[in-house]
Amino acid sequence: MQVISDMQPPAGPDPVMDGDQKTFMQDVVQASREVPILVDFWATWCGPCKTLTPALEKVVRSAGGRVRLVKIDIDQNRQLVQQLVQMGLPLQSVPTVAAFWQGQIADIFQGALPESELRRFVEALLKMAGGQMPGADLLAEAETALEEGDVQTAAEIFAALIEQEPENPKAYAGLARCMLALDQEEQALAVLDGAPEKIAAHADLTAIRSQIELAAAGREAQSKFGEFEARLAADPDDHAARIDLAVALNAADRREDAAEQLLEAIRRDRVWNEEAARKQLLKFFEAWGFMDPASVKGRRALSAILFK
């Protein structure tokens, strides 16, 4: 187990640096293929940033070079921030910290966390980078049980983990997934609603909430496949029909097809109905998860459209 201590780290290059939009690809995306990178999005006017950044620097330096920190001033790098927001990174408020590994976003948190929680966040990132399942042994056991189809056992373990760690977002997300596997959407929502306010906006929990919302919309849309296809055959610029068709395709677990319909709507008119197609696509990414193959492929295609 990799543990971050308060001992003086070995001498070497400072793992903390300032970054900007010109060096982001090199300092963050490319560098994360060798070592996990934390990106601290901050602003001079942000009070909580003045607390978070020094604590984050201390934790990163104590990791002895196993993780790096790149600090981005959002006011000095507005173009970069705009691009990342359009890709689905929640930068509407600061401080926001995104963890990058292997060129992709691995985890995110917002707000000023205490040093102890920062250490746990970085330790989990290091475990992930080492190829291990993040979280405690109970979490790994529960995930395994759920993957093997033993939903009841998984639910019991996740519930036990919540008792031990009442602010563990992955435990709440796991229990909610168990409820969904048992076709108990209301119970899944109850689990999400019961999560402490401190973790209510965690990416794992918001992803499941989006899944539930999309499933409900998809059930209604699936009965109208033919109608949507007929409308598009008559008018390829019927963007409302294309978005509804995408929702139906997603409900049928045809993720890449769903994404392609929305991408086509964006290609034809990216600002239609206040960018409804792009917003729906970002909701898909949130529900599928950042690392899902359909999300990865879709984000690349979206980037090619928006930044060509």
Side-chain angles (χ1 to χ4, degrees):
M1 176 180 179
Q2 294 174 306
V3 178
I4 301 174
S5 70
D6 289 312
M7 297 177 61
Q8 184 69 24
D14 190 350
V16 177
M17 63 183 296
D18 291 310
D20 59 34
Q21 52 203 25
K22 295 179 181 179
T23 62
F24 187 84
M25 285 297 296
Q26 176 182 338
D27 293 342
V28 177
V29 178
Q30 295 176 11
S32 72
R33 300 190 183 281
E34 300 178 359
V35 63
I37 306 292
L38 294 179
V39 184
D40 178 14
F41 295 95
W42 66 284
T44 55
W45 45 261
C46 168
C49 296
K50 294 179 174 64
T51 301
L52 174 68
T53 299
L56 196 55
E57 291 177 354
K58 178 181 177 182
V59 171
V60 167
R61 288 190 172 108
S62 70
R66 289 175 292 164
V67 62
R68 298 177 195 162
L69 173 65
V70 177
K71 299 181 292 183
I72 301 289
D73 183 337
I74 63 169
D75 291 329
Q76 298 299 318
N77 296 277
R78 294 184 182 275
Q79 183 178 356
L80 172 63
V81 170
Q82 182 180 8
Q83 291 176 350
L84 294 174
V85 167
Q86 290 184 310
M87 292 297 294
L89 192 61
L91 295 177
Q92 290 79 8
S93 64
V94 290
T96 292
V97 176
F100 283 75
W101 173 239
Q102 294 297 307
Q104 300 290 336
I105 298 172
D107 207 350
I108 299 171
F109 74 84
Q110 293 181 303
L113 300 183
E115 184 177 323
S116 59
E117 292 190 35
L118 294 177
R119 291 184 183 279
R120 284 195 289 270
F121 183 86
V122 173
E123 286 168 3
L125 179 62
L126 290 173
K127 291 177 186 179
M128 181 186 300
Q132 301 176 17
M133 182 76 82
D137 292 341
L138 273 178
L139 182 61
E141 185 178 352
E143 293 284 1
T144 299
L146 185 56
E147 290 174 5
E148 293 177 350
D150 190 351
V151 181
Q152 190 61 45
T153 297
E156 292 174 358
I157 299 173
F158 281 126
L161 183 56
I162 288 173
E163 289 186 9
Q164 293 185 23
E165 301 180 15
E167 292 186 349
N168 187 324
K170 293 188 180 298
Y172 282 92
L175 184 57
R177 284 190 286 127
C178 289
M179 297 301 100
L180 289 180
L182 295 170
D183 294 324
Q184 297 177 0
E185 284 188 6
E186 290 187 6
Q187 288 86 339
L189 282 172
V191 171
L192 298 177
D193 292 339
E197 183 179 355
K198 188 175 183 178
I199 64 170
H202 190 278
D204 287 351
L205 276 65
T206 57
I208 295 174
R209 197 177 291 278
S210 291
Q211 289 173 18
I212 295 172
E213 293 172 357
L214 288 171
R219 284 192 293 271
E220 180 179 352
Q222 276 188 296
S223 63
K224 300 179 180 179
F225 257 116
E227 175 187 331
F228 301 144
E229 291 175 333
R231 285 170 56 185
L232 285 172
D235 179 9
D237 288 328
D238 187 341
H239 304 306
R242 197 175 294 280
I243 292 173
D244 287 338
L245 178 59
V247 172
L249 288 168
N250 176 64
D253 203 27
R254 294 169 57 183
R255 294 183 176 183
E256 291 192 5
D257 291 338
E260 180 52 38
Q261 289 296 333
L262 295 176
L263 290 166
E264 179 61 21
I266 296 168
R267 292 186 191 101
R268 289 176 175 272
D269 187 349
R270 68 176 64 177
V271 299
W272 180 82
N273 194 23
E274 299 182 346
E275 298 187 272
R278 183 181 67 84
K279 292 175 182 177
Q280 183 65 67
L281 185 57
L282 295 182
K283 192 168 187 177
F284 281 170
F285 294 163
E286 181 180 59
W288 299 341
F290 271 109
M291 305 308 293
D292 184 90
S295 293
V296 174
K297 182 177 180 180
R299 285 202 308 273
R300 289 173 179 165
L302 178 60
S303 177
I305 294 172
L306 296 179
F307 307 128
K308 64 181 179 180

